[in-house]
Amino acid sequence: MTMEQCNKMIEEMGFNDIFQKLPIGIEVYDKAGQLVDLNRVDENLFAISRKDIVGINLFENPNFPEDKIARLKQGEMVVFDCNYDFDNIRTNKYYNINPKTEGTNLRLSIKCVPLRDEAEEICGYVLMFTDETEEYKKSEKVEELFTKLKTVMRCSDSLLWEYDVKADKMHIDLDLRVLGNKSRLIVSNLTTKNDFYEIVHPEDRERVLTQGFEKIITGEIGEYSIQYRRLFEGRYVWVRAYAYPYKYDEAGKPAKILYYLTDITDEIAMQDKLRWAEREHQRKEYELAKAKEENRLKSMFLANMSHEIRTPLNAIVGFANILAETKEMEQEEREFYVDIIDKNSELLLQLIEDILDFSKIEAGTFDITKKHFDFKEICEETYAVHALKIPENVRFVFDRELRHVTIYSDPKRVVQVISNFLTNAIKFTSEGEIKLDYEVLENELRVSVSDTGMGISEEDCRTIFDRFVKLNACRQGTGLGLAICKNIVEKLGGRIGVESTLGKGSTFWFTLPLMEIQED
């Protein structure tokens, strides 16, 4: 069939106008495969003019698969997709391409139809080209993004659910089941929103419900992220979840929501380890600082000890020598010297007892001997002993009408604590009042010594029961008394503390477990 015959046939069929106006590229070949006609869409598609392409042979096109050509020659209709490479056309000198198409490709959908005459013999071929380049690029882009998504999910040990709000259905796309064999996130499809909440850890359920998923379904928030524990194959796994709506209904409410889940169990475990390591580091730093401070205080204690012991000892020896060497002395003067010797002897004895008690505490041999006794009786005895030491301008108060209370404890150690409180109160109170008191609480006895002395600052109140702490360096003492009291009270099962206002006075208190109460 010649070109003239072909054109005549098309004109006779009345198809010429349609041929030119079809939205797809059309090429007509004769029996030998020679191109005899093409429409304008085809010229535009390949950016070539009719005169430059008419006469090329269909069967020599380097971009067409050989098997498709073979089937076409046998008279079959052939349909296939083709990556039409213009550089391949130029390299094989199939025809002279337009320079504009150099280095470019077209993605074509091609349909090849054999033409037959009245005798059913092949008399030519018609090729129809549909340009799908843009759609193909979009598809490639989607596939690329999809591949990246699957890669990310593999790397991060993740799952992707889709939730249909109207149908209340949640499922996983099979193509996104991409986890490795070691994953803790075992793939399983959920059914409803309630199924989803059921597998959330009970402690996290309310938080997940109120903070995110319900709000994103109603459109109150646009997206959310949350960490929680989720049940997988009978055990809870820490996950980080992201939820994003990607389809909306006519009212603008979310219709479909993507729910992206990542296993962060190892991350949480690592964070816990880091927090533990940080706490351990801080604890060790604190213990080291505390040990350094205690060593410093011990050094100060040892440096001061010779002075603390020598001072009362010098007074005792000095005034004892005066008494021994002075034969004629007024009785009043003699009593004055004897009183000084007595006071310094008591002070020296207290210093030594504190040192011995502290040594026992450090060695773990500090003894506690408990028994039943009347607490009011030991308070009256202690009051009587310390009443003689009260300064002239200070009232010493103890309510003798207080109820009798029988407790099970160590009376010697209890007296030691009360005496220490009273000694300090006397030492730091020059006028006003010192009061010894106790009261019965629900299951314990609370004992207190209050004074109107110089008081203690809030900062000093926090450290006053530590070892070697002396708030007034001008006052004699080891700085161990209150630390020993704290150790005694704790060994007796009680608590100890202080309430004070600087310049107004202090109240030192301790508690003891209560066994039984006896009334007068």
Side-chain angles (χ1 to χ4, degrees), residues 27-30 33-38 53-58:
E27 294 179 357
V28 180
Y29 293 83
D30 63 16
Q34 301 292 322
L35 178 63
V36 294
D37 201 5
L38 65 158
I53 195 172
V54 166
I56 63 171
N57 191 286
L58 165 63

Side-chain angles (χ1 to χ4, degrees), residues 213-265:
F213 207 62
E214 287 293 337
K215 291 183 178 180
I216 205 169
I217 289 173
T218 60
E220 186 177 342
I221 58 176
E223 60 185 59
Y224 85 101
S225 172
I226 194 170
Q227 294 181 184
Y228 63 92
R229 288 160 291 181
R230 184 184 181 116
L231 191 63
F232 284 97
E233 291 291 301
R235 61 174 178 168
Y236 285 102
V237 173
W238 273 102
V239 297
R240 181 182 292 114
Y242 302 90
Y244 300 91
Y246 75 98
K247 284 188 179 180
Y248 296 84
D249 60 20
E250 294 178 355
K253 299 290 185 180
K256 291 189 177 181
I257 298 169
L258 286 181
Y259 199 78
Y260 177 69
L261 209 63
T262 302
D263 180 2
I264 59 169
T265 305

Side-chain angles (χ1 to χ4, degrees), residues 51 79 104 158 241 455:
K51 62 182 179 63
V79 179
T104 64
S158 305

Side-chain angles (χ1 to χ4, degrees), residues 34 77-78 130 216 226 355 358 434 498:
Q34 301 292 322
M77 182 179 70
V78 179
T130 303
I216 205 169
I226 194 170
I355 295 170
F358 172 70
I434 296 174
V498 60

Side-chain angles (χ1 to χ4, degrees), residues 77-90:
M77 182 179 70
V78 179
V79 179
F80 61 94
D81 292 331
C82 173
N83 187 36
Y84 201 90
D85 187 348
F86 285 98
D87 283 353
N88 196 22
I89 297 294
R90 177 177 53 79

Side-chain angles (χ1 to χ4, degrees), residues 405-419:
V405 181
T406 299
I407 66 172
Y408 182 71
S409 193
D410 187 331
K412 178 184 175 182
R413 297 302 182 187
V414 171
V415 169
Q416 183 177 348
V417 176
I418 297 174
S419 295

Side-chain angles (χ1 to χ4, degrees), residues 92-288:
N92 286 275
K93 300 180 179 179
Y94 185 51
Y95 61 82
N96 295 323
I97 65 172
N98 189 322
K100 294 180 180 179
T101 62
E102 190 170 340
T104 64
N105 293 349
L106 290 177
R107 184 68 179 183
L108 302 175
S109 176
I110 303 175
K111 185 174 184 180
C112 305
V113 181
L115 297 175
R116 298 179 182 274
D117 57 19
E118 294 179 356
E120 290 298 317
E121 296 291 332
I122 297 176
C123 61
Y125 304 91
V126 173
L127 268 62
M128 292 169 275
F129 298 89
T130 303
D131 185 5
E132 296 183 351
T133 305
E134 291 301 320
E135 288 75 9
Y136 181 73
K137 287 180 178 179
K138 290 178 182 178
S139 176
E140 274 193 323
K141 189 64 176 178
V142 170
E143 183 62 31
E144 179 184 353
L145 292 174
F146 194 71
T147 302
K148 288 180 180 178
L149 175 60
K150 290 195 288 186
T151 303
V152 169
M153 293 177 68
R154 283 194 184 95
C155 295
S156 60
D157 208 5
S158 305
L159 293 175
L160 187 66
W161 268 275
E162 180 186 86
Y163 178 66
D164 187 317
V165 177
K166 185 177 181 180
D168 188 22
K169 298 291 183 182
M170 182 174 281
H171 71 281
I172 301 175
D173 191 314
L174 292 177
D175 289 337
L176 291 178
R177 297 186 178 199
V178 295
L179 300 178
N181 293 330
K182 296 183 179 180
S183 173
R184 283 177 286 258
L185 303 183
I186 307 301
V187 176
S188 61
N189 269 319
L190 303 175
T191 304
T192 68
K193 182 177 62 179
N194 288 333
D195 294 334
F196 162 68
Y197 289 131
E198 284 298 319
I199 63 173
V200 176
H201 193 285
E203 295 178 6
D204 301 332
R205 199 167 293 161
E206 182 64 23
R207 182 167 56 89
V208 172
L209 178 68
T210 58
Q211 284 189 14
F213 207 62
E214 287 293 337
K215 291 183 178 180
I216 205 169
I217 289 173
T218 60
E220 186 177 342
I221 58 176
E223 60 185 59
Y224 85 101
S225 172
I226 194 170
Q227 294 181 184
Y228 63 92
R229 288 160 291 181
R230 184 184 181 116
L231 191 63
F232 284 97
E233 291 291 301
R235 61 174 178 168
Y236 285 102
V237 173
W238 273 102
V239 297
R240 181 182 292 114
Y242 302 90
Y244 300 91
Y246 75 98
K247 284 188 179 180
Y248 296 84
D249 60 20
E250 294 178 355
K253 299 290 185 180
K256 291 189 177 181
I257 298 169
L258 286 181
Y259 199 78
Y260 177 69
L261 209 63
T262 302
D263 180 2
I264 59 169
T265 305
D266 293 338
E267 180 183 328
I268 294 294
M270 181 58 68
Q271 290 174 1
D272 289 341
K273 287 181 180 179
L274 292 175
R275 281 193 292 267
W276 178 87
E278 179 63 22
R279 288 195 298 268
E280 189 67 12
H281 175 71
Q282 291 175 352
R283 183 185 65 80
K284 290 181 179 179
E285 288 288 323
Y286 170 76
E287 289 179 352
L288 180 60

